[in-house]
């Protein structure tokens, strides 16, 4: 596992659910970017995580933090996910998983005895200088959003 804390965040430009290009540099000057990678739209764990971020969206905004979700799903799937659950943040399309690879979250996974490549649920907190300040790997959804929020509050710049 590659440890990225303290290093410059890998730059990216991906399309969001509207087909608009989104780059990490678009958020220069924001206190924090919460970049979270998740395996698949409209699945139970990913829905819970997205809805937890949704429910805490105002708390993140109050801390000048932007939330961006990334998965290999396409724009139309992201739109369905956002509309079904009222998500107030963008979901980015990483079909070729290049950005997931650059963050070291594209991994060999196992389920029901089958091996396949996919996203390991992970969250990265990127500061206004573009440095990865904190990373959470192999995320368990329960209480994860509170962990991220508490970290942001505790650093209280």
């Amino acid at each position: 596992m590659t440890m990225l804390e303290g290093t410059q965040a890998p730059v990216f430009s991906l399309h969001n659910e509207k087909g608009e290009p989104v780059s990490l540099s678009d958020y220069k000057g924001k206190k924090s970017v919460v970049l979270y990678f998740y395996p698949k739209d409209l699945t139970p764990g990913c829905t819970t995580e997205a809805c937890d971020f949704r429910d805490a969206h105002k708390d993140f905004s109050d801390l000048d933090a932007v939330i961006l979700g990334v998965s290999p799903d396409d724009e139309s799937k992201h739109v369905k996910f956002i509309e079904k659950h009222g998500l107030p943040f963008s979901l980015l399309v990483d079909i070729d998983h290049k950005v997931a690879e650059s963050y070291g979250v594209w991994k060999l996974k196992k389920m029901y005895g089958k091996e396949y490549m996919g996203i390991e649920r992970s969250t990265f907190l990127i500061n206004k200088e573009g440095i990865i300040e904190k990373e959470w790997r192999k995320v368990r959804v329960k209480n994860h959003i509170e962990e991220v929020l508490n970290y942001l509050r505790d650093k209280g710049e």
Side-chain angles (χ1 to χ4, degrees), residues 108-135:
L108 181 64
K109 299 171 79 173
K110 292 180 186 181
M111 186 160 47
Y112 306 121
K114 290 186 177 182
E115 289 187 340
Y116 63 97
M117 295 299 289
I119 286 187
E120 177 181 84
R121 192 181 311 277
S122 304
T123 301
F124 298 86
L125 182 66
I126 302 166
N127 69 21
K128 60 185 168 193
E129 286 84 35
I131 303 296
I132 296 177
E133 189 170 310
K134 180 77 174 150
E135 61 185 306

Side-chain angles (χ1 to χ4, degrees), residues 53-119:
F53 272 120
R54 175 200 65 203
D55 296 347
H57 188 259
K58 183 181 180 334
D59 295 321
F60 282 100
S61 292
D62 290 348
L63 294 166
D64 198 27
V66 170
I67 300 166
L68 296 171
V70 181
S71 87
D73 292 306
D74 64 22
E75 293 164 13
S76 65
K77 197 105 180 264
H78 281 344
V79 168
K80 287 178 192 167
F81 195 30
I82 287 169
E83 288 175 353
K84 182 171 184 177
H85 298 289
L87 304 180
F89 48 85
S90 279
L91 299 177
L92 307 181
V93 176
D94 190 21
I95 289 173
D96 63 6
H97 48 82
K98 293 240 187 291
V99 175
E101 286 179 31
S102 71
Y103 280 81
V105 300
W106 187 252
K107 302 278 187 173
L108 181 64
K109 299 171 79 173
K110 292 180 186 181
M111 186 160 47
Y112 306 121
K114 290 186 177 182
E115 289 187 340
Y116 63 97
M117 295 299 289
I119 286 187

Side-chain angles (χ1 to χ4, degrees), residues 4 8-9 13 26 28-29 31 50 55-56 88 93 100-101 113 116 140:
L4 295 177
Q8 191 71 38
S13 185
D26 296 343
K28 208 168 199 119
K31 194 175 271 187
D55 296 347
V93 176
E101 286 179 31
Y116 63 97
R140 299 284 176 244

